Amino acid sequence: MATLTQLPTDTERDLAHYRHESDAAIALLPATGKTVDLAEWLTIKRYAERYQLTTQVVTNWIARGIIPADCTQTLPELNDLRLVRNQAYK
């Protein structure tokens, strides 16, 4: 006798999608126990894409202080990943 499996409804798929997005929106760093809101902080690559710049320009702005030090952070737990606060500079 064959068993029937019920396929997820559109609502269930939407809920699963939003649940996945919300989990990805906040990164938990287990080594330090702190969280990073990924809507507020972007990687250099994502920042460059969002504001139509190159990654080299963003890196130079960080080095020259155009992007202030309090608007960047380095995450040693993630192989020294550098994040930039999601706001326009210059």
Side-chain angles (χ1 to χ4, degrees):
M1 177 178 224
T3 59
L4 296 175
T5 57
Q6 186 177 11
L7 295 175
T9 64
D10 289 339
T11 303
E12 290 170 336
R13 272 193 296 268
D14 290 343
L15 288 174
H17 173 74
Y18 290 124
R19 196 174 308 119
H20 174 71
E21 281 188 1
S22 68
D23 290 344
I26 299 174
L28 174 64
L29 305 175
T32 59
K34 67 180 180 179
T35 59
V36 177
D37 181 4
L38 297 179
E40 182 181 354
W41 295 91
L42 301 172
T43 62
I44 291 175
K45 180 180 177 184
R46 298 268 187 236
Y47 183 87
E49 289 172 354
R50 178 163 289 177
Y51 293 98
Q52 290 83 39
L53 302 167
T54 64
T55 57
Q56 192 172 20
V57 167
V58 177
T59 304
N60 286 341
W61 284 1
I62 293 170
R64 292 173 39 210
I66 293 172
I67 298 176
D70 63 333
C71 292
T72 65
Q73 60 178 312
T74 303
L75 305 176
E77 300 90 348
L78 298 176
N79 200 22
D80 289 332
L81 179 70
R82 289 174 32 178
L83 300 176
V84 178
R85 189 176 303 274
N86 185 10
Q87 66 184 33
Y89 298 97
K90 194 144 177 162

